Amino acid sequence: MGEELESIALAPLEDEFPVSVQELGKLVDVPKGFDQYSELGGLEGLAKSLRSDIKGGLPNENNSTEVARVQKYAKNILPPPPHQSIWSMILDALSDHILILLIVAAVVSTVLGAIPATSHDPKTGWIDGVAILVAVIIVVAVTSSNDYRNQARFRDLNEKTSDKQVKAIRSGEQCQISIFDVRVGDIVCLDTGDIICADGVFVDGHALRCDESSITGESDPIKKGHTKDGMDPFFISGSLVLEGFGKMMVTAVGVNSFNGKTMMGLRVESEDTPLQKKLSKLAENIGKCGLSAAVLLLLIVIPKYFIEKKVNKEDIGSNAASDVTQMVIGAITIVVVAVPEGLPLAVTMALAYGMLKMYKENNLVRHLASCETMGSATNICSDKTGTLTQNVMTVVTGHVASLFAEVNEALKATMPANVIPILADGIAINSNAYEGLSTKGKMEFIGSKTECALLNFGKVLGSDYQEVRKRLNIRQLYPFSSARKRMSVLVDQDANTYRLYSKGASEIILGQCDRYFDSNGQVQPLNDEARVHFEDCITKFATDALRTIGLAYRDFEATTTLDFNEPPEDHLIFIGVVGIKDPLRPEVPEAVKQCQRAGITVRMVTGDNIITAQNIARNCGILTEGGLCMEGPKFRELSQADMDAILPRLQVLARSSPTDKQLLVGRLKDLGEVVAVTGDGTNDGPALKLANVGFSMGISGTEVAIAASDVVLLDDNFASIVRAVIWGRNIYDAICKFLQFQLTVNVVAVVVAFVGTIAGNGESPLTAVQLLWVNLIMDTLAALALATEPPTPELLDRPPNGKNAPLITRSMWRNIIGQSVFQIIVLFVLLFKGHDIYSDILGETVVKNGVQHYTIIFNTFVFCQLFNEINARVLGNRMNPFKGITDNPIFIMVLIGTVIVQVIFVQFGDKVTSTVGLGYEWIGCIIIGSLSLPLGFLLRMINIPEPALAKEKPKISETIYTPPVDSSHPGSIESTPVLPSSNNKDSVSSSPIVNSPDTTTESMPLVVPPQPATAKPVEVGRGWQLVRQTQQKIRVVNAFKAASGDDETGSESSIVDVIRRPTRSSVLIPTQVGSLNN
């Protein structure tokens, strides 16, 4: 009966969507399913089977068909990785060897205490053991619940990291949808730099090439197109669009997609951060000391117990087993207190809290370790557009036939009539931007902000970009690349004419022209006088901090024999140049000042004209007196010695490619700097990976840049980087505060318990239950209180922490030792003379080593810790520990909660907690504990200078230069040797601006960084390949080929992860010479 019902339910789905998930999966299997595709009827047959429209896409509504589609083909979501349950975390905590020993000892104590033959008082003897078990359960429960909450926080942040917007066609309109909403049958738009979000087949496009090397092993880019043209129509999820743009129809999503299946098999546990590992090691070492103390204590007190019995001629009765058990419990408890398991917990809590707050401040952290690293950053290499500026671009001036000072409705009347359609058509067709509904619900242009500004300029001229795109048929597309600094498109102008439209960096476009439009709209030869005139215009616009874009075109006869596979970008007619204003973000100058005050050097790395870059950098406060501006082509020519000489003064790198940025980052790291880098383009991947912390742009960044980064700037704002620095320092400080507090408690608790047990009657003045309560205070509660301290502006008033800075500084040791000595002295005085002192004060007898005496010691000890917890809020020589305390309600709640529990513990604990209710003794305990505050003030007045830390330079150079990819020749990306450059002493002028006469970005000579004696110089592959998408991380790899020579290693080449050195064995894949064809 059940099978019949199931068949009835499935039948409608099979009728509505006849193609199965398995059939669709075979399309992208290796080898790819060309025969299967043909059997399904090609694109048209597949669209019909999937109830999709090749032009209109899926309907933008959730009807019954769409519900059935999702039911059959699944959602584009991978099931969340299995997370640890709260019960599993409790079991993990209980599996700790020390706690198991304590539980076993407590059980033995309970049994022995309840048996008349082995107990002093069977009615109450069992209470100590049960109390210990309850205390252990409370400690484990609180710790586990904290871990569980932290896990939930990280899971939420990971979900936010995975979500992103993609462009799709729904109901015939282009729109943006969440990647989670992509469905089988959707028409998804692809662009250069996209990581393909689902499996699919080619619908239409221009010059689409994908890197599928991580999946198929094919190192060459795969050109996509229709099977009738002899091209590959299949898109594999997880592969990269290297160039071009187009559309695909989705055939598999989520767990059914190629990448989904791969990702499900690659899920692994997250690794600890470097600080977590360092603190775990410290905790382990401290634990060993505690274990040694416990063993030594047992070796002393157990023989002492029997010797005293013998000396006093007392019988060793059956209750001796109970006494020895109590000694063992006391020793084990010392170990429990000594092991600072709260250290790793404090790091986790500080990271979880910091990541959540950073997300609210527009920093989405992708890799935990970057939170810590940002606190040590010494250099920030920032992009200009959108990071320092608002990325709200508008054409404000230009020269088209003649100069126009402003853009308004009257502009059209002043331009020659024959020039306007050429200008408007070129702007409309040579662009990937489009008009649509933004994420804010506004109708606006979506895409490159420069292209959006030009399309808005076209609107002023009366152009309808959609009409132009329908009218003109694109014959060939030459995409923009950072190497070419331009993009072009070849269209059918009419039946007899092809027309090439080109736009890009103004000086580069001008250099490719030999004609121009005069003021009457007539084409004239571009003589020297006219060229100088346009160059002056470009310089003037750049001086006004405007981005300059050059526009040009050229006509060809349809009968020409030219091969348009290569861009015919010469002998162009110069249409003109426009100046685009991108206002500076108002908060940037102050943010730059904050960085400089914090000892961080800010550098601007931009592809803009050097004059534009110089003016904007000066307005930001980046370019200061004596600072250098330089162009990328000139920078990469420098010898290593010259480069090192100018780097301290280099503040602006203009006309730079992403590979120049990569070179800059590597060289700074070689000099011992901790470098943070921003990037938004596909080619920024190597620099983002090479940097200590890579920041990608959440708005303008490509998927490759985001995948290669550590932190995503959700608002593309430089001020958010400064917030990341503050949070990085705050997280580091929170750990130091906790360390300062916990080590003090550890030292005092162990010393008092050790000495008190030996000096007393074999019992510690601090019982096991009391020490477990102290352990809860100093581990979980203190971690919660100190790890959630909010950042303060004072964090930027000091230089960065060095990579090799010690965890415990001299000033921290001063506070730890000072407070520990004070507390030990106070508690020893109370231990040996406290009964007499309180007897005199209270006017009643306080029995030495009695319950009241030990309760006073325990209560005083706890209040010493509470007041010292306030002291721990400050590091270094800051005087006021109460400053900003009201900004951390969690800290106040922890303090108040601890006091309340302590009162209940002492007043009402009785035999369970081995305490007795106190009266006026409370005043003495609180006063003595509060002395920690003035003592802390006095200790901080002792100025202990910290040693100057030398910058830790890497043992092997990390300078890696990848010459830029010229995507105008995508099919033949060949290796280019790195040649030694001449050591030109005049290569850097004394002027603050260092201009290069050659403004192109072709490959220039570069000196090879020093290699180990056994290593051969390497040739750097031209361009880089994106391979290896494993564990939901993009690994950016670069192709290196060993130079030929006598060395035996010259017979092989390697694919090397650019994050590290070429000798990194984990990603070294030997191949035969000549087999690596880039």
Side-chain angles (χ1 to χ4, degrees):
M1 182 66 181
E3 291 179 2
E4 289 178 12
L5 288 174
E6 187 178 352
S7 64
I8 291 170
L10 291 176
L13 289 183
E14 296 300 331
D15 292 341
E16 198 161 12
F17 300 103
V19 187
S20 69
V21 171
Q22 291 73 23
E23 287 177 296
L24 292 174
K26 290 178 182 177
L27 294 177
V28 294
D29 276 348
V30 181
K32 293 177 181 175
F34 287 94
D35 294 338
Q36 181 81 14
Y37 186 50
S38 178
E39 288 173 13
L40 291 171
L43 180 61
E44 289 76 13
L46 193 57
K48 185 177 179 181
S49 298
L50 294 177
R51 303 286 296 275
S52 180
D53 187 304
I54 295 172
K55 293 186 177 178
L58 296 182
N60 203 3
E61 59 184 30
N62 199 22
N63 54 34
S64 60
T65 301
E66 297 311 303
V67 172
R69 182 190 306 279
V70 173
Q71 188 178 344
K72 176 161 186 175
Y73 296 118
K75 291 184 176 181
N76 196 29
I77 298 174
L78 296 181
H83 61 272
Q84 215 176 351
S85 67
I86 183 70
W87 300 112
S88 173
M89 288 182 174
I90 290 172
L91 288 175
D92 281 351
L94 286 171
S95 64
D96 179 77
H97 298 308
I98 305 297
L99 276 183
I100 289 172
L101 278 176
L102 188 60
I103 291 168
V104 170
V107 170
V108 171
S109 172
T110 304
V111 172
L112 294 176
I115 298 173
T118 57
S119 175
H120 296 288
D121 185 0
K123 291 182 180 179
T124 58
W126 57 271
I127 291 178
D128 277 351
V130 172
I132 291 169
L133 290 174
V134 171
V136 167
I137 291 170
I138 292 172
V139 169
V140 167
V142 173
T143 305
S144 301
S145 62
N146 260 324
D147 282 343
Y148 188 74
R149 280 200 298 272
N150 289 335
Q151 177 187 256
R153 284 175 180 168
F154 287 130
R155 196 166 60 244
D156 290 344
L157 286 169
N158 283 335
E159 287 175 6
K160 292 181 174 75
T161 306
S162 303
D163 193 10
K164 56 178 177 284
Q165 298 289 308
V166 296
K167 290 178 283 189
I169 307 295
R170 290 274 176 92
S171 298
E173 297 290 331
Q174 188 165 332
C175 59
Q176 288 183 303
I177 61 174
S178 167
I179 191 173
F180 300 145
D181 293 334
V182 173
R183 304 194 286 262
V184 169
D186 254 324
I187 304 298
V188 173
C189 303
L190 302 174
D191 206 344
T192 303
D194 285 349
I195 294 173
I196 298 171
C197 62
D199 296 339
V201 295
F202 181 85
V203 174
D204 63 52
H206 298 280
L208 261 175
R209 282 183 168 83
C210 294
D211 180 358
E212 299 176 355
S213 51
S214 58
I215 299 151
T216 64
E218 175 59 56
S219 59
D220 290 333
I222 310 296
K223 188 168 184 178
K224 299 297 178 179
H226 294 295
T227 51
K228 64 183 180 183
D229 299 322
M231 287 187 279
D232 180 354
F234 304 114
F235 292 96
I236 304 178
S237 52
S239 59
L240 167 71
V241 180
L242 286 178
E243 63 171 71
F245 65 89
K247 299 171 191 169
M248 76 168 187
M249 182 164 61
V250 175
T251 57
V253 295
V255 292
N256 298 322
S257 68
F258 191 99
N259 190 55
K261 295 170 187 173
T262 307
M263 288 300 104
M264 291 299 290
L266 289 173
R267 286 181 166 172
V268 293
E269 293 294 322
S270 57
E271 294 182 358
D272 286 343
T273 69
L275 189 55
Q276 282 174 320
K277 291 176 181 176
K278 197 183 290 186
L279 286 172
S280 296
K281 186 70 177 174
L282 177 64
E284 184 184 331
N285 291 334
I286 295 173
K288 288 176 182 176
C289 295
L291 184 61
S292 302
V295 171
L296 182 62
L297 178 64
L298 287 176
L299 291 175
I300 294 173
V301 295
I302 293 177
K304 178 174 177 282
Y305 172 79
F306 289 107
I307 290 170
E308 285 180 346
K309 288 277 186 184
K310 192 71 175 174
V311 170
N312 296 331
K313 297 182 178 178
E314 297 177 7
D315 292 334
I316 301 174
S318 57
N319 57 10
S322 180
D323 293 338
V324 171
T325 303
Q326 291 302 320
M327 295 176 197
V328 172
I329 288 174
I332 295 172
T333 309
I334 286 179
V335 180
V336 173
V337 175
V339 175
E341 65 270 16
L343 282 179
L345 173 66
V347 182
T348 305
M349 294 184 74
L351 289 171
Y353 177 76
M355 283 177 68
L356 194 63
K357 292 294 185 182
M358 286 173 74
Y359 176 72
K360 292 178 180 177
E361 295 181 3
N362 296 311
N363 284 283
L364 178 57
V365 178
R366 299 184 69 252
H367 300 138
L368 270 180
S370 60
C371 290
E372 304 163 8
T373 311
M374 271 312 298
S376 305
T378 60
N379 276 256
I380 298 175
C381 299
S382 174
D383 284 345
K384 176 187 75 68
T385 304
T387 311
L388 300 173
T389 62
Q390 295 179 25
N391 208 16
V392 180
M393 298 195 183
T394 313
V395 177
V396 294
T397 186
H399 190 297
V400 178
S402 61
L403 185 69
F404 55 91
E406 57 183 346
V407 176
N408 51 36
E409 296 298 330
L411 176 62
K412 188 175 178 181
T414 64
M415 274 189 193
N418 64 310
V419 176
I420 292 175
I422 297 174
L423 173 63
D425 285 3
I427 287 173
I429 198 68
N430 193 18
S431 171
N432 292 334
Y434 65 96
E435 197 168 26
L437 205 62
S438 71
T439 52
K440 298 178 182 177
K442 292 171 59 180
M443 187 61 71
E444 58 185 29
F445 284 112
I446 298 171
S448 159
K449 296 300 179 181
T450 303
E451 293 188 343
C452 292
L454 289 170
L455 287 175
N456 278 314
F457 178 56
K459 268 190 173 182
V460 174
L461 299 176
S463 170
D464 179 356
Y465 84 99
Q466 289 179 324
E467 182 276 327
V468 174
R469 292 181 182 179
K470 289 176 183 176
R471 172 166 47 89
L472 296 177
N473 175 53
I474 296 177
R475 181 164 291 275
Q476 189 64 276
L477 180 78
Y478 310 101
F480 176 86
S481 76
S482 54
R484 287 163 24 84
K485 301 285 187 191
R486 61 192 181 275
M487 67 181 292
S488 301
V489 61
L490 186 71
V491 300
D492 294 328
Q493 184 62 21
D494 54 46
N496 302 314
T497 310
Y498 300 151
R499 176 168 288 177
L500 179 85
Y501 289 104
S502 189
K503 76 167 185 235
S506 49
E507 62 268 37
I508 292 177
I509 295 295
L510 182 62
Q512 294 174 319
C513 296
D514 57 11
R515 290 163 289 168
Y516 74 101
F517 284 120
D518 65 14
S519 56
N520 297 318
Q522 301 299 312
V523 177
Q524 304 291 344
L526 186 62
N527 54 33
D528 291 342
E529 183 182 351
R531 192 176 294 277
V532 169
H533 171 71
F534 285 122
E535 287 172 351
D536 289 343
C537 277
I538 293 168
T539 303
K540 181 181 182 301
F541 295 160
T543 304
D544 294 334
L546 301 179
R547 166 172 280 193
T548 59
I549 299 294
L551 303 159
Y553 84 105
R554 180 184 173 187
D555 286 336
F556 301 89
E557 292 182 1
T559 57
T560 182
T561 57
L562 280 174
D563 178 9
F564 289 115
N565 286 326
E566 301 294 327
E569 296 167 331
D570 54 2
H571 303 295
L572 305 182
I573 299 172
F574 192 63
I575 301 172
V577 58
V578 294
I580 299 177
K581 185 174 184 178
D582 186 7
L584 198 65
R585 289 184 184 270
E587 63 272 24
V588 163
E590 179 57 31
V592 171
K593 279 183 187 174
Q594 288 178 324
C595 285
Q596 292 166 342
R597 190 175 81 242
I600 300 171
T601 303
V602 182
R603 308 173 198 269
M604 187 171 85
V605 184
T606 177
D608 270 354
N609 179 294
I610 193 166
I611 300 171
T612 304
Q614 180 196 17
N615 282 280
I616 290 176
R618 189 173 285 119
N619 294 339
C620 292
I622 292 174
L623 184 59
T624 58
E625 190 171 348
L628 284 178
C629 292
M630 198 172 193
E631 287 186 326
K634 195 68 172 177
F635 176 73
R636 73 180 81 116
E637 279 187 318
L638 297 175
S639 66
Q640 184 174 303
D642 287 343
M643 197 177 286
D644 291 352
I646 67 143
L647 276 178
R649 294 172 56 210
L650 182 66
Q651 293 173 340
V652 178
L653 193 61
R655 276 289 175 250
S656 64
S657 67
T659 47
D660 294 324
K661 187 190 294 186
Q662 180 189 357
L663 178 61
L664 173 64
V665 170
R667 199 65 219 129
L668 286 170
K669 287 184 73 178
D670 283 352
L671 296 175
E673 306 288 351
V674 179
V675 188
V677 169
T678 69
D680 58 1
T682 300
N683 281 352
D684 284 322
L688 287 167
K689 270 296 185 186
L690 188 62
N692 298 99
V693 182
F695 286 89
S696 62
M697 304 298 145
I699 298 172
S700 62
T702 63
E703 291 183 51
V704 173
I706 290 172
S709 65
D710 302 294
V711 182
V712 182
L713 296 179
L714 299 177
D715 60 350
D716 290 13
N717 193 341
F718 181 83
S720 296
I721 301 176
V722 180
R723 293 302 302 170
V725 172
I726 291 176
W727 272 107
R729 294 188 177 193
N730 189 67
I731 288 170
Y732 187 87
D733 278 10
I735 307 309
C736 290
K737 290 171 185 177
F738 178 74
L739 197 57
Q740 183 174 266
F741 170 74
Q742 185 165 50
L743 288 182
T744 304
V745 187
N746 277 46
V747 170
V748 176
V750 171
V751 170
V752 170
F754 186 88
V755 175
T757 302
I758 295 173
N761 55 4
E763 292 183 6
S764 168
L766 301 174
T767 67
V769 174
Q770 291 169 357
L771 284 175
L772 285 172
W773 165 234
V774 170
N775 191 57
L776 185 64
I777 293 174
M778 72 180 189
D779 274 354
T780 306
L781 298 181
L784 185 62
L786 294 171
T788 54
E789 283 282 319
T792 60
E794 288 81 9
L795 288 167
L796 294 177
D797 291 337
R798 66 166 198 249
N801 300 314
K803 284 189 293 186
N804 55 345
L807 263 179
I808 307 174
T809 62
R810 289 179 178 180
S811 60
M812 286 172 64
W813 277 122
R814 174 198 63 197
N815 297 335
I816 291 167
I817 294 170
Q819 292 287 350
S820 298
V821 169
F822 163 72
Q823 291 182 25
I824 289 171
I825 290 172
V826 165
L827 294 175
F828 277 178
V829 168
L830 289 176
L831 180 63
F832 297 110
K833 293 292 181 182
H835 57 290
D836 294 332
I837 295 171
Y838 273 94
S839 294
D840 294 340
I841 293 173
L842 298 173
E844 61 183 57
T845 302
V846 176
V847 179
K848 183 180 182 181
N849 297 339
V851 176
Q852 185 182 9
H853 182 200
Y854 281 175
T855 301
I856 292 170
I857 294 172
F858 165 63
N859 208 30
T860 304
F861 174 63
V862 169
F863 275 96
C864 282
Q865 309 320 318
L866 285 176
F867 284 103
N868 190 40
E869 194 169 347
I870 299 173
N871 268 326
R873 291 188 68 248
V874 294
L875 295 171
N877 298 322
R878 286 172 54 204
M879 290 299 175
N880 184 4
F882 292 97
K883 186 176 181 181
I885 195 169
T886 55
D887 296 332
N888 187 3
I890 296 177
F891 186 91
I892 297 171
M893 287 167 59
V894 167
L895 278 185
I896 294 172
T898 305
V899 171
I900 292 170
V901 174
Q902 179 67 14
V903 171
I904 296 170
F905 199 97
V906 170
Q907 296 298 112
F908 307 104
D910 200 27
K911 292 183 179 180
V912 174
T913 57
S914 304
T915 58
V916 66
L918 301 178
Y920 290 109
E921 298 97 323
W922 277 97
I923 298 173
C925 295
I926 294 171
I927 289 174
I928 294 171
S930 66
L931 293 177
S932 294
L933 290 173
L935 174 66
F937 182 81
L938 292 173
L939 287 171
R940 288 190 291 275
M941 290 184 69
I942 303 171
N943 188 24
I944 300 180
E946 301 292 345
L949 295 171
K951 289 179 178 175
E952 187 180 6
K953 298 183 180 181
K955 294 179 181 178
I956 303 175
S957 170
E958 295 199 50
T959 302
I960 299 173
Y961 176 67
T962 309
V965 176
D966 186 346
S967 59
S968 63
H969 306 282
S972 58
I973 306 175
E974 297 179 356
S975 297
T976 304
V978 177
L979 302 173
S981 67
S982 58
N983 191 356
N984 184 3
K985 299 293 183 185
D986 300 323
S987 58
V988 181
S989 72
S990 58
S991 166
I993 303 179
V994 184
N995 285 296
S996 168
D998 180 9
T999 56
T1000 64
T1001 55
E1002 294 175 0
S1003 182
M1004 305 293 265
L1006 174 77
V1007 70
V1008 179
Q1011 303 286 335
T1014 57
K1016 283 188 66 66
V1018 297
E1019 292 183 355
V1020 181
R1022 183 173 173 77
W1024 51 269
Q1025 301 167 345
L1026 276 170
V1027 192
R1028 314 184 179 233
Q1029 187 177 9
T1030 56
Q1031 300 171 20
Q1032 293 184 334
K1033 298 176 184 177
I1034 289 296
R1035 186 172 285 168
V1036 183
V1037 300
N1038 199 353
F1040 283 86
K1041 185 178 287 184
S1044 58
D1046 298 330
D1047 196 302
E1048 61 183 6
T1049 61
S1051 62
E1052 59 180 30
S1053 59
S1054 308
I1055 294 180
V1056 184
D1057 185 349
V1058 302
I1059 310 167
R1060 301 287 181 262
R1061 286 297 306 155
T1063 53
R1064 185 182 180 191
S1065 58
S1066 61
V1067 291
L1068 207 60
I1069 306 174
T1071 55
Q1072 296 303 315
V1073 173
S1075 66
L1076 190 61
N1077 298 319
N1078 291 339

